[in-house]
Amino acid sequence: MNEQPNGLASRVKGTVHVIGAGLLGASVGLGLREHGVDVTLEDLSPTTVALAADYGAGRVRTADDAPPALVVVATPPDVTADVVERALSEYPDAVVTDVASVKLAPFLELTRRGIDLTNYVGSHPMAGRERGGAIMARADLFTARPWVVCRDHETPAEALALVEAVALDLGAVLIEMTPEEHDRSVGLVSHLPQVVSSLLAARLVPATDQAIGLAGGGLRDTTRIASSDPELWVQILGANREPVVELLDALAGDIAAFTDALRDPERGGAKRRIADLLAAGNRGVARIPGKHGSSERFTTLTVLVDDRPGQIARLLTELGELGINMEDLRLEHSPGAQIGFAEIAVLPEVAERAIEGLAERGWRTL
């Protein structure tokens, strides 16, 4: 086994070769390198692979290197099947996995080509950032995030164990699904939100600067992912089009029903229809896992913060002195004012104590 810098044995045996040195590939490399794993890198772009190596994600693979034990394909979805096929051919004794966000399309394409998939295990870490590239990579990107592994009855136990070892070393939470289950699920929790966020943000393009200046947390929350790479999402959505189209059709039906009720809210039953649809949203958001994948719900406190150096540090220090564990933090600046807002998520049972303690220290909460 490889040795971690702290002396603990890594679960990963042998060299890991990463093909595709962008955000996910470089993050895999960074995380495994922290565990003492030998990581080699490859990318179509010499600049990209050199940059990932400079950031410490691994070393550029050479012709003299011994074959890897595991190959991680972290390329765009439209070339995933091609790269997986090449990796299986070039490294016949290695296990090959990919981290593409769509699992069924590559599997079906490889099957259609008659490729022996005994050593192939599709996987997908549910992690990412709004912007890609090695420069955005993080060793802790996968910590406490789901990592879906797709296997079938022909997958050897040792191949599955090696892919799972990478996920566990990177701090991820393992989940097994079929490719079909995975694609339907990510269509709902990832692909549909991307489309909705992007379409909502597109409505801002013709708006006046005065209107945009009124934007608050609600708009920022619902459009946060709209800055994602359009080219990548064209590939993802095209590969997973059937589940996404079904979801969009269902959403369009809800929007039509809501619009019809709102068009004449005084009509009999209209207010109830509006309320029922909004209440369904309450029930849906209550199902979203909280911190570390738990179902724990939090109370949000909004603290007014003067726009001066050191104020956030002071706030966090005083929360610590009060014995309040902060579960999440979001900052918002008030346009044109020397004040900001810190939205702090805490457990409901400590919210009142947090408010009282902060007030005693001169903080204002909303």
Side-chain angles (χ1 to χ4, degrees):
M1 287 190 178
N2 296 295
E3 288 291 320
Q4 297 182 16
N6 59 11
L8 296 177
S10 168
R11 298 176 179 86
V12 180
K13 300 178 181 179
T15 297
V16 175
H17 181 50
V18 177
I19 304 178
L23 172 63
L24 290 183
S27 293
V28 168
L30 286 170
L32 291 178
R33 289 297 304 129
E34 285 197 349
H35 288 70
V37 178
D38 180 34
V39 178
T40 58
L41 302 170
E42 175 186 342
D43 195 280
L44 189 62
S45 166
T47 300
T48 296
V49 73
L51 185 62
D54 283 349
Y55 274 99
R59 56 187 178 84
V60 179
R61 184 169 182 81
T62 69
D64 296 329
D65 283 319
L70 173 69
V71 178
V72 178
V73 175
T75 57
D78 63 345
V79 296
T80 294
D82 294 335
V83 180
V84 168
E85 180 181 3
R86 177 172 65 83
L88 288 168
S89 175
E90 190 170 347
Y91 307 110
D93 295 325
V95 175
V96 177
T97 188
D98 74 283
V99 293
S101 57
V102 176
K103 299 270 62 90
L104 185 59
F107 175 76
L108 291 178
E109 177 59 24
L110 290 164
T111 302
R112 185 192 67 79
R113 297 178 186 180
I115 306 301
D116 181 359
L117 300 180
T118 302
N119 285 341
Y120 168 68
V121 182
S123 70
H124 179 212
M126 295 297 295
R129 306 183 74 179
E130 288 78 39
R131 300 189 182 278
I135 194 172
M136 300 298 293
R138 294 178 49 165
D140 63 352
L141 185 68
F142 311 104
T143 301
R145 302 297 301 166
W147 190 307
V148 179
V149 177
C150 300
R151 67 160 173 173
D152 56 39
H153 62 279
E154 296 180 356
T155 303
E158 57 272 20
L160 179 66
L162 186 52
V163 176
E164 290 180 339
V166 170
L168 291 171
D169 264 12
L170 296 177
V173 179
L174 282 169
I175 297 176
E176 282 198 18
M177 287 183 169
T178 66
E180 293 86 350
E181 290 171 336
H182 169 273
D183 285 6
R184 285 196 302 270
S185 299
V186 297
L188 174 63
V189 303
S190 176
H191 303 171
L192 178 65
Q194 177 64 56
V195 174
V196 173
S197 179
S198 294
L199 294 180
L200 174 59
R203 303 308 307 160
L204 304 176
V205 174
T208 65
D209 290 343
Q210 187 177 38
I212 298 298
L214 301 177
L219 184 65
R220 292 186 178 89
D221 287 345
T222 51
T223 59
R224 180 181 60 82
I225 58 175
S227 59
S228 299
D229 181 8
E231 183 177 345
L232 175 62
W233 274 101
V234 167
Q235 297 180 33
I236 294 172
L237 293 169
N240 200 31
R241 58 189 176 278
E242 292 183 6
V244 176
V245 167
E246 290 180 9
L247 290 163
L248 286 170
D249 283 341
L251 179 62
D254 289 341
I255 292 174
F258 194 95
T259 302
D260 181 65
L262 191 59
R263 201 179 306 279
D264 184 7
E266 300 305 320
R267 189 180 61 210
K271 287 185 172 63
R272 177 173 179 174
R273 181 59 175 157
I274 293 170
D276 285 347
L277 287 166
L278 294 174
N282 294 160
R283 296 193 298 274
V285 77
R287 297 195 63 198
I288 299 175
K291 187 178 182 183
H292 306 314
S294 73
S295 60
E296 191 74 67
R297 308 308 301 172
F298 305 121
T299 296
T300 299
L301 310 178
T302 301
V303 184
L304 278 66
V305 181
D306 291 336
D307 190 9
R308 292 185 288 113
Q311 292 303 294
I312 295 298
R314 176 188 153 219
L315 173 61
L316 299 184
T317 297
E318 294 188 356
L319 280 171
E321 292 172 353
L322 290 167
I324 304 297
N325 186 43
M326 182 180 64
E327 309 293 341
D328 199 3
L329 171 66
R330 190 172 70 87
L331 301 176
E332 181 181 340
H333 191 269
S334 180
Q338 297 300 309
I339 196 170
F341 305 93
E343 293 188 355
I344 301 168
V346 300
L347 291 173
E349 56 265 29
V350 303
E352 185 174 349
R353 178 160 60 86
I355 293 172
E356 293 175 352
L358 290 173
E360 291 173 357
R361 288 163 170 77
W363 296 98
R364 293 172 291 166
T365 58
L366 300 177

